[in-house]
Amino acid sequence: MDHPLPFSLDGQDQAFSAHVVTGQAAHAALRALDHVSREVTTGQDMNQKLEPDQALAKVLALQDEWSSSPLRRPPAGVPAQEESWDHKATAVIGRIVTDVQAALGDVSSVFAQPGAVLGADGSLTERMEAFRARVQAKQPVVSVSASGCMRRWLATRDVTATSLSIITYIPEHPLYAAAVTPTTALMSDCSGSWRLTLADGWQAMAGEPLIPDPAPDYVLLPRSLEHLAPRIRRQYKEPLFPYDSSAAIVQAVLSGAVPVGVHFTEHVLDSAILPVAIGHGMIGYFRDSGTLIEKPWDASRYMYNAVQGKITFGEGLVIARDLWAARRITSVLAKETQLHEQTHPLDDPLAAFTLEDDDLFSFHPDAAIDQGDHDD
């Protein structure tokens, strides 16, 4: 069952605005993920309506796909299975983008000109260049970018394995964003925030964390920091290292009681979680630059400047319920990373000695002092 957006505009008498376009895209993406999940676990949904070309594709898919070319063989052995699963994951992303394009096709009047939906073709860098070119030309564009590992989600149903970042640009409007996980879509703009599940439809949020009392033992960190787990447990008893930090922040921070999460990404098109989280009452803090973002319009402006290339989207984005939680995890990570990277004197016991004259191992005091300084 489809649930309408919580806005009065219908896209016909009065054109959809940018936030409704983003909502349409997020809704289409969530439905596509749900359809894929159902097909993998229970087979094709008989009630699912398909376009004529999609219906034909389903019929053709019943044929032996390996009979068209004598050079192709059914998946057999580990290498072929790897290739098959990679192909499945790539096909899912293409299908999501196609569904978003179809959903926005009926409301193209909002653009006053054809709008582009990026995400199915090209590398992330190429899509960024295309997105930036349309922004600079003041042409509408929607980016659908998948982070994490779609293949992992298909194989394990881990809802923190992958997520979608939807970034919408329409001339004369702020930049809008939505974060879509396999179970939930969240959208925010400068006037409000909304949450979508296929069971309950769109719900307007109050803009404050749903759970006021955080669970202090928990912190959400990228998998790239898992090697620091023993050290971090001295400060946080339950550090979590999900595969996709955006999906996990949606689940554990925005929808749960985890007080803080760190989102490691170098790319703005994969970071819709920033304006979404700010719109849901959190703060954003960049560990590398110390930039603090507290208001939705500041998050939109920051994303817009990054899209245009005026600033570099910072690494180590902290999403937290308050500034104290953000500064605490920033301090802990800085300290524990520094200690982890230091070289202990026992790692190279000969570093403090040097050959001098006829003495085989003459003690060199300067080397010992240098090593000691490095340890401090």
Side-chain angles (χ1 to χ4, degrees):
M1 176 180 179
D2 285 343
H3 299 269
L5 285 163
F7 313 108
S8 59
L9 305 182
D10 61 8
Q12 304 300 325
D13 297 332
Q14 187 176 2
F16 277 149
S17 58
H19 63 296
V20 184
V21 171
T22 307
Q24 288 279 8
H27 202 164
L30 183 61
R31 283 199 306 264
L33 287 172
D34 181 67
H35 289 159
V36 171
S37 178
R38 291 175 182 273
E39 290 173 9
V40 173
T41 56
T42 61
Q44 177 69 49
D45 184 356
M46 297 303 295
N47 295 323
Q48 179 183 344
K49 295 182 179 180
L50 299 175
E51 298 295 330
D53 57 336
Q54 292 178 316
L56 177 60
K58 291 293 182 182
V59 174
L60 295 176
L62 297 177
Q63 303 181 67
D64 183 0
E65 62 176 313
W66 314 105
S67 62
S68 59
S69 172
L71 300 178
R72 298 192 67 192
R73 296 290 183 270
V78 173
Q81 291 172 352
E82 292 278 352
E83 180 183 0
S84 177
W85 275 101
D86 287 342
H87 175 74
K88 292 178 187 294
T90 302
V92 168
I93 298 174
R95 177 172 171 179
I96 292 170
V97 174
T98 298
D99 286 1
V100 170
Q101 289 174 325
L104 297 182
D106 296 333
V107 295
S108 59
S109 58
V110 70
F111 297 120
Q113 53 184 310
V117 179
L118 307 176
D121 303 314
S123 66
L124 189 58
T125 300
E126 292 170 340
R127 296 199 307 273
M128 181 70 257
E129 292 175 353
F131 193 98
R132 181 173 297 165
R134 295 191 70 90
V135 170
Q136 293 174 345
K138 297 189 179 302
Q139 298 175 339
V141 60
V142 176
S143 170
V144 181
S145 185
S147 59
C149 182
M150 186 68 68
R151 172 179 160 175
R152 183 182 178 88
W153 172 68
L154 289 172
T156 68
R157 286 300 179 273
D158 178 3
V159 295
T160 64
T162 189
S163 66
L164 304 171
S165 287
I166 297 178
I167 309 293
T168 302
Y169 167 76
I170 293 179
E172 310 303 327
H173 288 78
L175 209 62
Y176 290 84
V180 183
T181 75
T183 60
T184 310
L186 299 179
M187 182 180 72
S188 295
D189 59 28
C190 296
S191 61
S193 57
W194 297 266
R195 185 187 303 265
L196 169 69
T197 64
L198 295 182
D200 300 326
W202 285 100
Q203 295 179 335
M205 310 306 294
E208 296 292 339
L210 295 181
I211 303 176
D213 298 324
D217 288 341
Y218 291 88
V219 63
L220 193 152
L221 300 168
R223 290 179 69 248
S224 60
L225 294 180
E226 196 165 7
H227 63 283
L228 295 178
R231 295 179 176 273
I232 292 174
R233 286 193 181 97
R234 294 183 296 186
Q235 302 292 336
Y236 300 90
K237 295 180 182 179
E238 298 289 344
L240 306 174
F241 300 92
Y243 205 87
D244 180 72
S245 55
S246 286
I249 289 172
V250 169
Q251 298 292 332
V253 179
L254 302 187
S255 305
V258 175
V260 61
V262 178
H263 173 66
F264 270 15
T265 180
E266 298 179 356
H267 213 288
V268 62
L269 293 186
D270 282 341
S271 303
I273 190 64
L274 172 59
V276 168
I278 303 303
H280 281 75
M282 305 294 167
I283 66 167
Y285 182 78
F286 286 94
R287 293 175 55 224
D288 61 346
S289 63
T291 301
L292 176 65
I293 300 178
E294 300 180 273
K295 301 299 182 182
W297 47 87
D298 290 333
S300 178
R301 185 182 302 110
Y302 189 93
M303 297 282 285
Y304 183 73
N305 289 334
V307 162
Q308 287 193 308
K310 294 181 179 179
I311 61 175
T312 301
F313 195 84
E315 296 184 32
L317 168 62
V318 177
I319 301 295
R321 291 174 178 267
D322 52 59
L323 184 57
W324 181 86
R327 286 180 172 171
R328 181 191 178 197
I329 186 58
T330 298
S331 176
V332 169
L333 288 180
K335 177 181 177 181
E336 300 301 344
T337 299
Q338 180 183 18
L339 290 175
H340 177 79
E341 292 176 349
Q342 281 184 348
T343 302
H344 194 277
L346 294 180
D347 292 340
D348 189 2
L350 301 184
F353 298 91
T354 182
L355 290 175
E356 183 174 321
D357 300 327
D358 296 330
D359 295 330
L360 184 59
F361 290 107
S362 295
F363 182 69
H364 197 290
D366 291 340
I369 294 173
D370 291 342
Q371 185 66 52
D373 289 343
H374 182 65
D375 248 6
D376 292 338

